[in-house]
Amino acid sequence: MELESILERFGRMCALTPEEAGRQGDLCAAALRQVEGERNGIPGGEEELADYAAAIAARRFVLRCLSTGGVVSIGDPRAERGGALNAAGTMEAEYRQGAARWLRPRGFCFRQAGKEEASIPPGEDDLAGKEGERE
């Protein structure tokens, strides 16, 4: 994935001119790093991953605009203030789903297996001897 491709896609998603999109290069670069960190190593998917990175940058752009008092309209222009943020979040989720084949599942982590943790010998735990105290 290349930053220029993500900037172009981001600009189209947010209806920005190339100059306006270029001023948001930090958002696109951060999104690129995030997607690269989420990749699972399966080859291919460059287009889908670039779209996902652009969608991440678009959601962050909406957050940035709203936090500085800007007005953003995505989807229904009559929607409440959070409408643009909801629309951007939905867009990001949809593009993530499209790129899912090339991404690790969220919340996935590795844990060492095969090593038995130290165990307390039977009869020496907190509940031992308290059997009669339970009702």
Side-chain angles (χ1 to χ4, degrees):
M1 284 187 302
E2 293 184 15
L3 182 57
E4 289 302 316
S5 173
I6 294 168
L7 275 166
E8 179 184 320
R9 294 162 196 261
F10 163 76
R12 278 185 283 154
M13 286 179 184
C14 296
L16 300 173
T17 66
E19 295 77 29
E20 291 170 328
R23 289 194 291 266
Q24 305 301 323
D26 60 327
L27 291 176
C28 293
L32 172 62
R33 287 189 302 273
Q34 178 180 334
V35 172
E36 287 294 338
E38 292 180 27
R39 286 185 82 161
N40 62 15
I42 294 175
E46 296 301 316
E47 297 294 314
E48 292 84 353
L49 292 166
D51 284 339
Y52 174 47
I56 291 170
R59 185 183 58 80
R60 292 176 181 172
F61 176 70
V62 169
L63 280 169
R64 181 180 280 178
C65 289
L66 293 176
S67 70
T68 59
V71 177
V72 180
S73 178
I74 297 176
D76 185 359
R78 295 170 288 146
E80 72 282 354
R81 181 171 167 82
L85 186 55
N86 290 337
T90 299
M91 182 174 66
E92 179 184 342
E94 288 174 359
Y95 279 107
R96 186 181 204 299
Q97 186 175 9
R101 179 177 180 207
W102 298 278
L103 299 170
R104 288 190 314 270
R106 285 199 169 150
F108 182 80
C109 68
F110 289 99
R111 181 173 180 194
Q112 185 175 357
K115 243 184 160 181
E116 206 172 300
E117 294 187 25
S119 62
I120 300 172
E124 294 183 20
D125 63 355
D126 291 332
L127 298 177
K130 298 182 182 181
E131 300 277 326
E133 295 176 13
R134 284 194 242 164
E135 296 182 71

